[in-house]
Amino acid sequence: MPLVTIDLIENVFTPSQKRELIEKVTEAMVAVEGEKMRPVTWVRIKEFKENDWAIGGNPLNASAVHALAAGKAA
C-alpha cells in the first residue's frame, strides 16, 4: 500500500492546484505499480506554516515562493 506525502508551505497552492497534484501523483504511481493498486494508493499533502521551512538558513513564506515561481528574486 503506497503512501506518498507532499510537503508544501501554506498559502502557496490553491485547493484546485492541490487536487491536481493529488490526481497526477496518483496517476504516476498507478502507471508504475498497476491499476489494481489504485484503491490503496494514498497521496496526502502536509502543509507547513510560513517561515517554518527554510533553505540555506533563510525562512520561506508564500510570497517568496510565488516570487521564485515568477522568476523574480525572493
Side-chain angles (χ1 to χ4, degrees), residues 3 9-10 12 14 16 18 20 30-31 34 36 42-44 49 54 57 60 63 65 68 71 74:
L3 168 62
I9 297 172
E10 281 183 338
V12 171
T14 66
S16 157
K18 289 186 274 188
E20 185 176 355
V30 169
K36 290 183 180 181
W42 295 25
V43 178
R44 67 181 183 169
K49 293 191 181 302
L60 289 176
S63 296
V65 176
L68 287 169

Side-chain angles (χ1 to χ4, degrees), residues 2-17:
L3 168 62
V4 178
T5 302
I6 302 169
D7 292 338
L8 302 174
I9 297 172
E10 281 183 338
N11 303 315
V12 171
F13 291 91
T14 66
S16 157
Q17 289 172 314

Side-chain angles (χ1 to χ4, degrees), residues 6-57:
I6 302 169
D7 292 338
L8 302 174
I9 297 172
E10 281 183 338
N11 303 315
V12 171
F13 291 91
T14 66
S16 157
Q17 289 172 314
K18 289 186 274 188
R19 181 180 198 89
E20 185 176 355
L21 278 169
I22 291 168
E23 290 171 1
K24 289 185 176 184
V25 169
T26 299
E27 291 306 318
M29 292 299 297
V30 169
V32 172
E33 63 192 6
E35 187 62 40
K36 290 183 180 181
M37 294 298 285
R38 182 182 297 276
V40 294
T41 299
W42 295 25
V43 178
R44 67 181 183 169
I45 292 178
K46 182 174 182 178
E47 291 186 295
F48 291 86
K49 293 191 181 302
E50 295 182 71
N51 299 310
D52 282 357
W53 187 316
I55 297 177

